[in-house]
Amino acid sequence: MKILLTILALGLISTPSYAQMEHGEHSGHDMSASEHMMMDGDAMSDSTSPEDMTSEDQGEHKMSFKQIEASHVCMVNDTAFDKAQIPVEVDGKTYYGCCSMCEARLKKDAAIRSAVDPISGNTVDKTEAVIGAGADGKVQYFENIENLNQYAMDNM
């Protein structure tokens, strides 16, 4: 049943013009996170319906924002993935990108390597941040785990 629902969902969200695009043709930063996730096919997903979940799964589903490893994040598109991304060394720090275009952007654009903590409002380097991801795969960067937990509680 889960497979059938997933196939149906994928068929509903794909578009012909998007389906024709090759991975290397996107501009990374111009693409929405959902478009980027559909193209890569391995971004975080949460397609299990509530009736198919165990009570333990339902509890986890309610907490849909959780900490994620930096290596599983495209730091250009701020999107979480199920597998490790391309490590990009810049000034002795390791950032991550999902493709060669994101890798190049991380190397040349210093602004893309930092983010604003949504709780404190302070700027954080993405390599030093605590990173949290929502069920939609979008990530936020935090100064500390307390801010991530606060954000998760505020967005339940």
Side-chain angles (χ1 to χ4, degrees):
M1 183 68 171
K2 288 182 185 180
I3 294 171
L4 180 60
L5 290 173
T6 302
I7 291 169
L8 289 172
L10 289 174
L12 292 174
I13 60 175
S14 64
T15 60
S17 62
Y18 185 77
Q20 293 171 1
M21 185 183 292
E22 292 296 322
H23 182 74
E25 294 177 343
H26 82 279
S27 61
H29 60 280
D30 294 333
M31 197 183 286
S32 74
S34 61
E35 289 173 327
H36 211 275
M37 288 187 294
M38 286 190 303
M39 178 183 282
D40 289 325
D42 52 10
M44 283 181 41
S45 64
D46 192 1
S47 60
T48 305
S49 63
E51 58 273 3
D52 291 336
M53 290 188 235
T54 66
S55 59
E56 182 179 311
D57 290 338
Q58 288 175 354
E60 185 176 315
H61 186 71
K62 288 179 185 175
M63 180 65 168
S64 62
F65 192 85
K66 55 188 168 187
Q67 187 172 0
I68 186 168
E69 292 180 46
S71 64
H72 286 75
V73 174
C74 173
M75 293 179 175
V76 173
N77 294 299
D78 300 327
T79 303
F81 291 85
D82 290 331
K83 64 181 183 178
Q85 299 301 292
I86 301 166
V88 181
E89 298 292 326
V90 180
D91 298 329
K93 297 178 181 180
T94 304
Y95 298 88
Y96 295 90
C98 64
C99 66
S100 60
M101 294 175 80
C102 290
E103 180 180 6
R105 183 139 184 240
L106 282 164
K107 288 179 181 178
K108 73 176 184 178
D109 186 354
I112 201 74
R113 298 189 300 258
S114 62
V116 175
D117 180 318
I119 298 297
S120 69
N122 294 328
T123 300
V124 294
D125 185 290
K126 290 181 179 182
T127 64
E128 298 169 4
V130 175
I131 305 172
D136 62 355
K138 286 300 290 175
V139 300
Q140 297 285 337
Y141 302 89
F142 302 91
E143 289 182 285
N144 53 52
I145 191 71
E146 291 81 11
N147 288 5
L148 181 145
N149 290 336
Q150 181 63 51
Y151 184 86
M153 293 301 294
D154 292 349
N155 291 283
M156 281 184 74

